[in-house]
Amino acid sequence: MTAPRFVPLTCPSCSGNLLGRAQDRVAFCTSCARGYRVDGDAIAAVPVLVAGDARDADLALPFWRRGTLAWPAFTSARPLLLARVVSLHLGEWKLAPIEGAPWPLGARLAPETFEQALVFAGLDAPPAGAPLELVGVEVRHVDRRWHLPDDCAVLYPDDVLEGTSLLEAALVRP
Ligand SMILES: [Zn+2]
């Protein structure tokens, strides 16, 4: 398990350092807080928001979002369930531009991975033309469990298998 590190890339907007791990598809400029896809031939800007009400969140889990549809950008044993829970609650949560830590690190999956499957799984298709965004869903560590905003769900260890690791976060903040 590797600690966050600075990838050898700089922000196209401000030349600040981009924070991300080698396998991550999205990196973040620690100076201007912009997000960039770094998994293609060129660095491409991707809008980044945070969902929740906490500036003291323990961790922000990366989800792709298009309109009302949201799905995990990290590998999980329950991707469809997490997609359903977050999609259903996203409209109730405060969405704000990212301002800094906790960065929603660990986006290991391309947005195409689940998007089509989610529609077949019974979630509404996003409106045509809705932009793709990365949303950091803030979770809190309370009573040894990880809670999504408004306690709409509690996470199990295998809900995050790779990328942003609950174990890793627990080590940061036991
Ligand atoms: Zn920047």
Side-chain angles (χ1 to χ4, degrees):
M1 210 162 287
T2 55
R5 68 179 180 88
F6 288 106
V7 298
L9 298 167
T10 56
C11 173
S13 178
C14 77
S15 299
N17 286 316
L18 295 189
L19 178 69
R21 284 167 280 198
Q23 308 95 320
D24 291 352
R25 293 176 180 271
V26 178
F28 305 92
C29 175
T30 54
S31 297
C32 70
R34 287 180 167 88
Y36 296 97
R37 293 276 305 262
V38 292
D39 57 345
D41 292 336
I43 298 176
V46 60
V48 182
L49 299 168
V50 288
D53 60 359
R55 285 288 161 256
D56 60 345
D58 296 291
L59 185 65
L61 293 177
F63 282 74
W64 294 111
R65 176 210 187 195
R66 204 188 288 280
T68 56
L69 198 61
W71 61 100
F74 51 89
T75 56
S76 171
R78 303 191 297 170
L80 297 182
L81 184 139
L82 292 180
R84 190 184 301 272
V85 167
V86 172
S87 294
L88 292 178
H89 288 87
L90 198 59
E92 303 162 7
W93 298 337
K94 181 185 167 197
L95 285 167
I98 192 166
E99 293 174 356
W103 302 95
L105 288 164
R108 298 284 173 88
L109 302 179
E112 299 78 22
T113 306
F114 288 120
E115 187 171 15
Q116 295 304 318
L118 292 176
V119 176
F120 290 110
L123 290 165
D124 291 337
L132 179 73
E133 299 165 314
L134 190 81
V135 175
V137 174
E138 296 177 328
V139 295
R140 285 176 163 151
H141 196 219
V142 181
D143 296 333
R144 296 168 175 261
R145 305 294 294 277
W146 293 93
H147 300 252
L148 267 66
D150 300 330
D151 270 341
C152 70
V154 173
L155 298 177
Y156 292 90
D158 61 356
D159 282 335
V160 184
L161 294 175
E162 196 183 357
T164 295
S165 162
L166 299 185
L167 174 63
E168 190 173 328
L171 292 173
V172 171
R173 187 182 295 205

